[in-house]
Amino acid sequence: MRIERIIKASEDGCRAVDILRRKAGISGQLSKRIRLFGQLTRNGQPHRMIDPVHTGDHLVALLPDEASAPLIPDPSVGIVWADEWLLVLNKPAGLLTHPKNKHEPDSLLTRISNGRLHPVSRLDRGTSGLVLVGRNSHAHYRLSQTDINKEYLALVRGRLLPLSGTISAPIARAPGSIIERQVNPQGDTAVTHYTTLRYFVKADCSLLSLRLETGRTHQIRVHLQHVGHPIIGETLYNGGSTHPFDKKINHQALHAWRLRFVHPLSKDPLNFSCHPPADFIQLLLDCRNFSPDFNNS
């Protein structure tokens, strides 16, 4: 990995490490790794992290073991965007985002690369859609400091009133479980904004667009169950459902369909969207032949 910086007049006399941390956005951990295992040059000559730099100096920090992980094309995974810093991937439902353990190595990340990747956003196994991944630790750190707008589509039971609103209910781990979460006054703040895109009268289902203000584990699933409108196909929190549409899909009808953020290195605004999987689309078609238009607008 290579990080470059030209010193401006306002930075004259500052230590190299301070410039790299404040202006190039590297983490304290990465600056230590560059000092111990990498190389820092000033105008082509070796330079110590603690030594000052001056106006017009050209700093280059190198960390050889942080090259961008090479990609392996896999037909099950859609590569929506790829550059030397980050990836936006389209994860199919039923696949883990990253390996669970050595006994279950198959995952989105292992299918796309044998190298080390750094997921910034994660989706549950049963959720499909867009996942943001850093291709090195510096990209991951910068992305973790970036405001990322994520929107989801969900098909749920019933009709929410009001049709648009906010679910604000703290979430904590359910007693006696390492997986399940529940609404709990002692839990962490959790806020979900929703908008009803379509209510299907005969099916008594609603297609929702959801935006997370916080990112708690299972947040959307727990919040919608809490307000009495569980996601179609969801089984962890809605295992006893008898709704006929739950049998039409073998995973929760939840899809991360839109991702917006500013590229942390180039500063370009990026906006991605992707269609739900075929079984989700078929479920919508079954709800009175509704065919949504998922464009980037």
Side-chain angles (χ1 to χ4, degrees):
M1 181 178 63
R2 178 186 180 96
I3 302 171
E4 299 187 46
R5 179 75 190 179
I6 303 295
I7 307 306
K8 298 179 180 179
S10 60
E11 302 164 350
D12 191 274
C14 292
R15 298 187 309 168
V17 65
D18 295 330
I19 297 297
L20 291 173
R21 294 196 64 178
R22 290 202 310 263
K23 300 298 182 178
I26 71 171
S27 65
Q29 183 181 35
L30 182 57
S31 67
K32 183 181 293 186
R33 291 179 61 201
I34 292 171
R35 177 172 60 84
L36 294 174
F37 308 111
Q39 181 183 37
L40 176 69
T41 63
R42 168 179 166 265
N43 303 326
Q45 299 299 316
H47 194 74
R48 295 193 307 170
M49 283 283 197
I50 60 172
D51 287 342
V53 293
H54 302 287
T55 304
D57 283 348
H58 184 197
L59 282 180
V60 177
L62 297 173
L63 193 60
D65 65 344
E66 276 287 325
S68 296
L71 302 182
I72 304 170
D74 188 295
S76 69
V77 177
I79 300 177
V80 181
W81 172 274
D83 63 20
E84 63 178 318
W85 296 102
L86 61 88
L87 301 170
V88 176
L89 305 175
N90 185 6
K91 184 185 88 68
L95 185 66
L96 292 168
T97 298
H98 53 84
K100 189 173 183 180
N101 51 51
K102 64 180 181 180
H103 303 295
E104 195 171 5
D106 187 30
S107 71
L108 177 72
L109 300 188
T110 53
R111 286 190 186 185
I112 206 69
S113 177
N114 289 325
R116 187 182 179 192
L117 294 172
H118 307 259
V120 178
S121 60
R122 293 174 171 84
L123 296 177
D124 297 334
R125 186 198 295 264
T127 303
S128 59
L130 298 174
V131 175
L132 178 60
V133 178
R135 297 187 70 178
N136 54 60
S137 63
H138 179 52
H140 179 268
Y141 176 75
R142 293 293 301 273
L143 286 165
S144 69
Q145 307 300 308
T146 300
D147 185 20
I148 300 171
N149 185 293
K150 295 177 283 187
E151 294 180 46
Y152 296 76
L153 294 173
L155 187 67
V156 305
R157 293 177 58 182
R159 185 181 189 185
L160 281 76
L161 293 174
L163 297 178
S164 296
T166 297
I167 305 170
S168 181
I171 292 176
R173 181 174 292 169
S177 176
I178 62 172
I179 298 174
E180 293 186 49
R181 281 7 185 217
Q182 65 179 20
V183 168
N184 186 320
Q186 305 304 316
D188 296 320
T189 300
V191 180
T192 304
H193 304 285
Y194 72 88
T195 299
T196 301
L197 300 180
R198 177 81 181 257
Y199 173 61
F200 305 100
V201 178
K202 290 186 177 180
D204 189 28
C205 293
S206 296
L207 177 64
L208 305 181
S209 172
L210 303 117
R211 181 176 61 84
L212 298 182
E213 190 172 311
T214 54
R216 308 304 176 198
T217 300
H218 300 174
Q219 178 173 320
I220 292 176
R221 297 158 67 185
V222 171
H223 270 177
L224 290 173
Q225 177 73 20
H226 175 68
V227 298
H229 299 281
I231 299 172
I232 295 296
E234 208 284 323
T235 57
L236 181 61
Y237 301 102
N238 191 37
S241 172
T242 57
H243 195 285
F245 276 77
D246 284 319
K247 300 177 181 179
K248 291 179 175 289
I249 192 169
N250 62 3
H251 60 88
Q252 61 233 23
L254 180 62
H255 177 73
W257 85 284
R258 177 168 280 178
L259 195 61
R260 298 176 182 174
F261 59 97
V262 174
H263 195 295
L265 283 307
S266 71
K267 303 304 181 183
D268 294 328
L270 299 177
N271 178 12
F272 304 101
S273 65
C274 68
H275 288 68
D279 54 359
F280 195 140
I281 293 289
Q282 184 59 53
L283 197 58
L284 295 176
L285 294 175
D286 290 342
C287 295
R288 295 185 60 187
N289 295 319
F290 177 60
S291 182
D293 181 15
F294 299 103
N295 294 317
N296 288 324
S297 59

